[in-house]
């Protein structure tokens, strides 16, 4: 183990939840340790249970993708929900996409839009983009092209290239 991995392991063993998550990332990315997705998932689980809610988000990803655990969209949604409830905006984004697609949860475009709104309020570019699409198409919200355009701009300003491209195509479509 590298010095960092040894340090994180000792801290994790004493109950430092964030260290468990950081060590999990090292195992997931094979950063100074051998790649071990199952060990990463176990560490994310410990992190989540210990109150580091980004660990819940990582656990959601593991279940979403089947990384180190059996793929289970329902469990992924539950972990995303736990993290989103604690303002991990990336988890709100992923959970919103699950509601948008009916993956692991019952399809609910209104719920998806509200999750995108929460994450967009937290400056998550992807959620601002997804919320713009919702407003453009009237999915889960009342159709509002002006609001969609403002959200595309916000997402673009936050670095979402899809949003920037959507803005350009909207501008070229104007008479």
């Amino acid at each position: 183990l590298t010095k960092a991995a040894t340090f994180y392991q000792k801290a994790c063993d004493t109950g430092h939840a964030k260290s468990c998550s950081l060590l999990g990332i090292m195992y997931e990315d094979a950063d100074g340790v051998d790649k071990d997705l199952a060990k990463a998932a176990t560490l994310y689980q410990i992190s989540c249970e210990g109150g580091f809610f980004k660990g819940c988000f990582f656990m959601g990803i593991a279940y979403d993708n089947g990384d180190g655990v059996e793929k289970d969209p329902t469990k992924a949604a539950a972990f995303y929900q736990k993290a989103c409830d604690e303002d991990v905006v990336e988890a709100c984004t992923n959970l919103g996409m699950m509601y948008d697609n009916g993956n692991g949860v019952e399809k609910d475009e209104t719920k998806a839009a509200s999750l995108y709104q929460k994450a967009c309020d937290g400056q998550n570019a992807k959620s601002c983009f997804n919320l713009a699409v919702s407003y453009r198409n009237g999915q889960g919200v009342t159709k509002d092209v002006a609001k969609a355009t403002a959200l595309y701009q916000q997402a673009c300003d936050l670095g979402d290239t899809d949003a920037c491209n959507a803005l350009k195509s909207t501008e070229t479509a104007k008479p």
Side-chain angles (χ1 to χ4, degrees), residues 1 6 18 20 40 42 65 67 82 91 104 133 141 146-148 151 156:
L1 293 178
T6 302
K18 183 175 182 179
C20 300
T42 299
N65 298 328
D67 290 339
K82 186 171 186 175
V133 172
V141 291
K147 186 153 180 88
L151 285 161
C156 180

Side-chain angles (χ1 to χ4, degrees), residues 10-138:
K10 285 180 182 174
C12 179
D13 290 345
T14 63
H16 190 264
K18 183 175 182 179
S19 293
C20 300
S21 206
L22 292 170
L23 184 58
I25 292 168
M26 291 181 78
Y27 277 103
E28 185 174 343
D29 295 343
D31 180 13
V33 295
D34 291 336
K35 187 175 190 87
D36 187 338
L37 295 177
K39 184 158 181 83
T42 299
L43 288 161
Y44 295 148
Q45 177 82 39
I46 292 166
S47 175
C48 179
E49 290 170 357
F52 183 68
F53 297 105
K54 195 117 184 197
C56 304
F57 167 62
F58 295 143
M59 202 65 218
I61 292 172
Y63 276 113
D64 216 354
N65 298 328
D67 290 339
V69 292
E70 189 172 326
K71 186 176 175 108
D72 187 332
T74 303
K75 285 184 180 177
F79 277 105
Y80 288 147
Q81 184 67 65
K82 186 171 186 175
C84 180
D85 289 346
E86 297 297 331
D87 298 324
V88 178
V89 295
E90 302 91 343
C92 302
T93 300
N94 288 14
L95 186 59
M97 290 188 290
M98 294 183 91
Y99 275 103
D100 237 352
N101 299 314
N103 179 26
V105 293
E106 191 172 322
K107 185 175 176 79
D108 185 338
E109 292 174 343
T110 302
K111 176 90 171 159
S114 86
L115 288 161
Y116 294 150
Q117 183 67 64
K118 179 177 181 172
C120 182
D121 290 346
Q123 303 303 302
N124 182 277
K126 188 64 176 169
S127 270
C128 294
F129 174 80
N130 291 347
L131 188 58
V133 172
S134 296
Y135 275 103
R136 183 191 70 209
N137 298 330

